[in-house]
Amino acid sequence: MSSLVHLAIIMDGNGRWAKKRNLPRAVGHLEGLKSLKKVLVGSINEGIKYLSLYCFSTENWKRPKEEVDYLMALFSNKIYGEIKTYNKLGVQIRFLGKRDGLPQKALDALDRAVEETKSNTALTLQLAINYGGQDEIARAVNKLISEGCKEVTPELIRSKFDNPDIPAADFIVRSAGEERLSNFLLFDSAYSELGFYDKLWPDWDEAMIKTVKEDYLKRERRFGGLL
Ligand code: IPE
Ligand code: IPE
Ligand code: MG
């Protein structure tokens, strides 16, 4: 039984949470942000060292401009506004995703959060924004090509990822019931355990992370070998 070092979460169901209450989808996203904070604290309490959160996919640009603008404003203002909290909790922020296409304000907020939290060691919070697993692989291969590489290996590709020092996720979980990866961590998920939970993201809290960890500890990982 290996311990849960890296938990990755596909935070889904904000829209459905709002719809059930006849509220605008934006309210669901705002509630989702509250869950994010609870889950972050819960993860620290459970001894998790890396938490990766899928915040915005390379496909989410297809949503109405109003919703995309709202989410971009959340990334710009809330990440920046929470730097003090991250430092108090000992949380190191890392950015995972494609910079091209993101508004400068969001990039500045992310860069600043990364810089101002870089010495923190309690937990590393990897924020996947404008992230796509296919894009991550293509960007890495393009970096290798531009360096004159003639033949790739899985190790070489991975070495060109945004955060190659962060180990692959042990457990990838998704809220709100759907059982798919939606382009999240396609390369590193090779041997990740997967977990799907019906609870909508705005209903997640510290206790849910305890449940998730307990579920993970029941898994038997073989990585293609024998026990
Ligand atoms: C997840 O919630 C948040 C993002 C994808 C940004 P959704 O917005 O996908 O919520 P549902 O799936 O419509 O309920
Ligand atoms: C996945 O959720 C992306 C994020 C959580 C950021 P989506 O709601 O975009 O995924 P699909 O469209 O249901 O696959
Ligand atoms: Mg969704």
Side-chain angles (χ1 to χ4, degrees), residues 21-223:
R21 291 163 178 77
N22 279 319
L23 293 165
R25 291 178 59 86
V27 180
H29 292 313
L30 214 51
E31 279 300 311
L33 202 66
K34 292 185 196 161
S35 294
L36 190 158
K37 281 190 219 168
K38 292 178 197 166
V39 160
L40 178 61
V41 170
S43 298
I44 296 170
N45 292 344
E46 294 300 326
I48 291 163
K49 295 308 286 182
Y50 301 93
L51 176 67
S52 294
L53 299 177
Y54 203 6
C55 306
F56 192 89
S57 74
T58 46
E59 287 71 45
N60 285 147
W61 298 104
K62 293 177 192 162
R63 296 188 180 197
K65 186 179 181 302
E66 191 192 356
E67 180 166 347
V68 169
D69 287 349
Y70 185 81
L71 287 167
M72 290 301 147
L74 273 192
F75 302 144
S76 308
N77 304 327
K78 299 293 175 183
I79 293 170
Y80 185 74
E82 292 294 329
I83 293 178
K84 249 195 205 146
T85 314
Y86 300 138
N87 281 329
K88 214 188 285 166
L89 292 171
V91 171
Q92 183 184 136
I93 302 292
R94 301 288 285 272
F95 169 60
L96 171 64
K98 183 164 115 176
R99 294 179 72 88
D100 285 0
L102 283 174
Q104 194 54 47
K105 219 179 151 202
L107 289 171
D108 289 346
L110 276 161
D111 289 343
R112 187 145 179 205
V114 169
E115 178 59 29
E116 292 185 19
T117 63
K118 67 180 180 201
S119 313
N120 294 337
T121 57
L123 176 147
T124 298
L125 174 60
Q126 182 169 239
L127 297 173
I129 301 178
N130 197 18
Y131 173 84
Q134 293 176 337
D135 172 72
E136 177 178 47
I137 296 165
R139 281 192 295 115
V141 172
N142 281 329
K143 276 186 212 161
L144 290 166
I145 292 171
S146 70
E147 289 170 11
C149 176
K150 291 278 181 287
E151 193 179 322
V152 299
T153 61
E155 292 74 21
L156 268 175
I157 293 174
R158 199 182 188 285
S159 74
K160 297 298 176 189
F161 281 175
D162 294 327
N163 299 308
D165 58 311
I166 297 183
D170 298 300
F171 200 17
I172 301 177
V173 301
R174 180 170 186 144
S175 58
E178 255 123 16
E179 301 188 359
R180 56 175 170 262
L181 288 175
S182 300
N183 208 4
F184 194 38
L185 304 176
L186 295 189
F187 188 96
D188 266 358
S189 60
Y191 274 98
S192 302
E193 295 294 321
L194 305 176
F196 300 97
Y197 297 87
D198 286 337
K199 203 186 266 282
L200 303 176
W201 178 249
D203 293 324
W204 281 48
D205 56 11
E206 291 92 335
M208 196 57 195
I209 298 306
K210 204 166 184 291
T211 304
V212 162
K213 186 178 168 184
E214 281 165 9
D215 289 347
Y216 173 77
L217 293 178
K218 288 181 205 142
R219 303 290 177 102
E220 204 177 74
R221 302 182 75 183
R222 288 186 289 279
F223 299 97

